[in-house]
Amino acid sequence: MSVRLSLLAILDRGACYGSQLRAEYERRTGARVNVGQVYTTLERLERDGLVTGAGIDDEARVLWEPTEAGRNEVRTWLSTASLAEGRDDVALKVALAVTLPGADIGGILFAQRAAVRAALAEAEAEAETESEERDADAVPAAIVRAARRARLAADLRWLDEVAVLAAGATAFDLSEDRPRRGRPARSLG
């Protein structure tokens, strides 16, 4: 999953400092991320015009918030299905989305399901064509395509299960608990 876009999505809930953002990511996805990766990602997001500094907190930690371009990128990411990402990446994306108030979970699942169905239909059409033209050289490619069809069919079953699980999910705001760690603001001199 794109840690970059996940961090942006969390920042869309409110300004955070790096360690706080890391804690929110882990709380919302169950996945771990290195705090150094969070700060490096924030620096790149700032360079790309997707986040901006939002001041400092009472312990001199830099707070970050998304720009309008960052918010637009998050909305596009959440509403776009992906077959390039692995199932775990899609799972983390959906897990994050169910925690975000206002996220269109039904729309996310609908788009993902439609993309998987289209890919499965294409893979099945290729299988029909290859069965007519099968020769010894085609067997390895047929094995790989059969694995793709099996994964896509499993993805559809998984998405059905996710829809049931997501129906019971409740979105939530940023945690009131603040990690003690965090980078202090750079000196201005």
Side-chain angles (χ1 to χ4, degrees):
M1 171 176 74
S2 173
V3 170
R4 173 180 187 261
L5 291 166
S6 298
L7 297 180
L8 266 175
I10 295 167
L11 286 172
D12 198 29
R13 302 302 316 138
C16 295
Y17 57 92
S19 290
Q20 178 186 7
L21 196 52
R22 174 182 178 247
E24 284 292 331
Y25 176 86
E26 291 180 0
R27 174 178 171 234
R28 291 168 185 269
T29 66
R32 299 192 55 80
V33 64
N34 181 297
V35 73
Q37 181 181 0
V38 170
Y39 283 108
T40 300
T41 301
L42 285 168
E43 291 167 0
R44 288 181 182 144
L45 289 167
E46 181 182 36
R47 177 200 65 201
D48 296 343
L50 300 174
V51 300
T52 188
I56 58 173
D57 70 3
D58 57 350
E59 294 186 31
R61 294 176 292 220
V62 177
L63 296 171
W64 299 91
E65 65 185 0
T67 62
E68 192 56 37
R71 285 184 171 89
N72 289 336
E73 188 145 334
V74 166
R75 283 192 278 282
T76 299
W77 174 63
L78 287 173
S79 64
T80 304
S82 176
L83 295 175
E85 297 177 294
R87 184 182 309 145
D88 287 344
D89 291 338
V90 174
L92 290 171
K93 177 180 171 178
V94 174
L96 174 66
V98 300
T99 73
L100 302 173
D104 180 9
I105 305 306
I108 292 168
L109 293 176
F110 179 84
Q112 190 66 36
R113 193 177 281 114
V116 171
R117 282 187 181 130
L120 183 56
E122 181 180 314
E124 288 171 346
E126 288 174 0
E128 287 179 25
T129 302
E130 77 185 20
S131 68
E132 296 167 3
E133 304 170 355
R134 188 158 310 206
D135 60 23
D137 294 340
V139 171
I143 291 170
V144 172
R145 283 193 288 276
R148 177 163 170 72
R149 287 191 312 276
R151 278 192 307 276
L152 290 167
D155 284 350
L156 285 175
R157 291 188 304 275
W158 173 77
L159 286 166
D160 291 340
E161 183 177 349
V162 169
V164 172
L165 293 169
T170 303
F172 48 85
D173 286 322
L174 296 175
S175 173
E176 295 296 321
D177 295 335
R178 300 285 187 255
R180 301 303 269 162
R181 304 169 108 195
R183 276 190 191 171
R186 295 181 203 125
S187 79
L188 299 174

